[in-house]
Amino acid sequence: PGILPFATISILAGGSGAGKTTQLAELCARVLTGRSFCGRPTHAPTGGIFYLAADRTWKTDHTFWFAAVGCPTVTTFSLQGAGVPRHLLMPAYAEDLFRWCMDRLGVQPGSLVIVDPVAPLFIAGDINNQRHVATTLLWMGEWVTLHDVTLLVTCYQGKQHTADRYARAVD
């Protein structure tokens, strides 16, 4: 409550190696064991926790972190070695790739669904283009509502700068 509102999209952003996956493992462990998170009570989602590892394998990368925090089993799917149809890897098919992954996960209503990371594979277009990102979030929001789930995604974030000034006005 107050951290991940039900049936919404939340984004956990940070630079590569900042600890996003480790934080997710801790969050999952606390939610599934009923321990508080950031001083707030947790409630296990009625549909379970579903985790899509989009850029690394579950077995070699995520298993360690989830075991280290004592996280009970979550339902997982990794794109590595999954036999993704080649056309789904094209940016124009980002939404279709997302739905393909969610079908393989078997997402249930009332679930917490984690996508680690959401970009670049699930952004239909340029990940630095605000419109492309916004339209992706719009269809993801529709998917969240349709499936009655909470979506938590990660993304890499870093400010682009040259010397002491930022190179882009948006930064």
Side-chain angles (χ1 to χ4, degrees), residues 4-69:
L4 295 175
F6 181 71
T8 62
I9 302 173
S10 296
I11 301 171
L12 178 60
S16 181
K20 296 178 298 295
T21 302
T22 306
Q23 188 72 22
L24 289 172
E26 182 68 23
L27 170 67
C28 290
R30 288 176 174 269
V31 165
L32 291 172
T33 59
R35 293 180 289 150
S36 66
F37 185 77
C38 295
R40 302 216 181 227
T42 62
H43 306 286
T46 58
I49 295 179
F50 294 82
Y51 198 108
L52 171 59
D55 68 345
R56 295 176 281 171
T57 65
W58 180 265
K59 189 173 187 178
T60 59
D61 293 298
H62 294 77
T63 302
F64 170 78
W65 296 113
F66 277 69
V69 298

